[in-house]
Every structure is written in structure tokens, then in C-alpha cells.
Amino acid sequence: MTVGVTSRALPPLSPAGRVVKRAVDVVGAAVGLLLASPVLLAAAAAIRLDSRGRVLFRQDRLGLDGRSFQMLKFRTMRTDADDAIHREYVTRMLVDDAVEGGKAGVFKLADDPRITRTGRWLRKTSLDELPQLINVLKGQMSLVGPRPVLAWEAELFTEEERLRFAVKPGLTGLWQVAGRNQMSMRDALRFDVEYVRHQSLTLDAKIAIRTVPALLKGF
């Protein structure tokens, strides 16, 4: 699936700015993978010991211009997990614009019965997202940007909300550091659009810096 975006959604970064952003992504992802290698190995071992199945979870997500790519994550669910419960939850949040976030996260279902013991800790600390540094190196994602979404989720977006596809998805974004304990999914999508319209290297730096204390709260 691809999602078209209009010209008014084009990121305001200059050609030089885009080069710098890509350089920061490559260097940051490479250094991140190197420094996090002991954590990656420990997480992989814990997943193998906790439940049967592959260590890495691959899932088709939508990125720049709505193009599909395989996003990587540490597997946090049982291999026989059904996504029906997640579809129902996200659909309800987007259709009703309900506020249900907080500790579970805006797009995460609280007390999800499909999650393993190790997976629950990986999600709490956001360590399950570390393999996406590989997606950043491959140019499919950026360190900063809207989170990549599923194709069926995008079908529920308004035309305005689809402007988020004008930039690469990221490991962290504006709504993740907004400082609000609870926000609806529509609110989160509005932050994504706000990021697209005001994207700059300075904004990226501010988001990256504010992400660190947000992550430390999970430990």
C-alpha cells in the first residue's frame, strides 16, 4: 500500500539539511548499535529463554510517501498471538477519539494478554525498538520522525493526518516527548503533522534530547 501526500506536506528542510539529517541518522544508528550490542545480545538471550519463536519480529509498516517496508523489533508476543484485539483497540481509539494512553502508551494496549514476560519488560523500557536502528541505517527510517504505522491503521487516517507520510518514520517523535501522560491517538497524529510542518534540525535535536529522560523513566 502507498499513501499519497500533497505538495504542501513536503518537509521544509533544505537539500543541505536533508544531507545533514541523513548523516546524523547513519552515524547515530551505527554508534547506537555498537554501544547497545551487549544489551541486544542479552535481550535476544532472554527472549529465547522465555518463549519459543524467533528473536526478531518483522512487520510491514508504512514509511516515506506511504511506501511499505519491513520494520524490525524484538519479539515481545507469543508466536500464536492474534492481532484482532489490537485492531479493535486502535479502531475504537481512532473512530471514537477516546483518550487512553498513559503508561501503556498511545498506540499500546494496556495489559495485553499476548505479551510475554520478557516482552513486557522490553516494551516498558522501549528496548524492543532497538533493532529499528538497522532500519535507520538502511534509510527506511530516521532517528526522529512519526512512528511507522500499519497499512490498515492508515486507512482510518484523515487526509490531514496522512501528511505525516511526507517524512521518514522515526524511532522517536514529537508526541513521545510532549510531556502529557494521556493523549488520544488523534492528538498524537496531530503532533505528527505538526512535526512535518515545522521540521528542522533544531527541532530534531530538541526531540532527541528530551527522549533520553523519557526513556529512563521506563527503567
Side-chain angles (χ1 to χ4, degrees):
M1 175 182 177
T2 58
V3 178
V5 294
T6 61
S7 59
R8 66 192 176 101
L10 293 177
L13 284 182
S14 65
R18 290 194 289 272
V19 170
V20 172
K21 182 176 173 66
R22 178 58 184 154
V24 171
D25 283 343
V26 172
V27 173
V31 172
L33 284 171
L34 180 63
L35 295 179
S37 56
V39 178
L40 293 169
L41 291 173
I47 292 169
R48 277 293 179 88
L49 291 172
D50 188 35
S51 62
R52 294 181 180 179
R54 295 181 177 181
V55 168
L56 289 180
F57 174 69
R58 303 169 186 268
Q59 189 176 54
D60 289 337
R61 297 288 181 105
L62 300 185
L64 179 64
D65 294 328
R67 292 193 295 267
S68 179
F69 72 97
Q70 276 204 332
M71 188 191 76
L72 301 175
K73 292 183 67 174
F74 277 129
R75 182 177 59 81
T76 59
M77 296 185 182
R78 304 190 311 270
T79 55
D80 60 346
D82 187 348
D83 74 338
I85 186 173
H86 176 71
R87 280 178 177 257
E88 180 183 356
Y89 166 75
V90 171
T91 300
R92 179 165 58 85
M93 292 298 101
L94 288 174
V95 172
D96 298 338
D97 196 23
V99 176
E100 191 169 317
K103 294 181 179 179
V106 177
F107 286 87
K108 296 180 181 180
L109 180 66
D111 300 321
D112 193 330
R114 302 169 299 168
I115 301 176
T116 64
R117 289 173 299 178
T118 298
R120 198 170 301 281
W121 180 76
L122 289 173
R123 285 192 168 204
K124 180 182 178 182
T125 57
S126 295
L127 292 178
D128 60 318
E129 312 287 358
L130 279 179
Q132 287 159 42
L133 289 171
I134 297 174
N135 291 120
V136 175
L137 280 179
K138 294 172 69 174
Q140 299 163 327
M141 292 179 61
S142 177
L143 293 176
V144 179
R147 290 295 297 156
V149 297
L150 295 161
W152 63 263
E153 290 175 332
E155 292 177 358
L156 299 172
F157 292 174
T158 65
E159 181 180 356
E160 180 82 359
E161 290 163 352
R162 292 184 182 188
L163 298 183
R164 72 197 301 282
F165 295 114
V167 299
K168 289 181 182 180
L171 280 170
T172 185
L174 189 57
W175 69 257
Q176 286 91 341
V177 298
R180 295 171 59 177
N181 292 328
Q182 288 191 323
M183 79 171 61
S184 70
M185 288 187 179
R186 292 293 181 200
D187 284 338
L189 291 169
R190 281 190 281 271
F191 273 104
D192 288 340
V193 173
E194 187 76 5
Y195 170 79
V196 171
R197 288 181 167 158
H198 299 283
Q199 185 190 16
S200 69
L201 296 176
T202 300
L203 179 58
D204 279 8
K206 289 180 179 178
I207 292 173
I209 292 172
R210 292 175 63 183
T211 296
V212 176
L215 288 176
L216 293 177
K217 290 180 181 179
F219 288 88

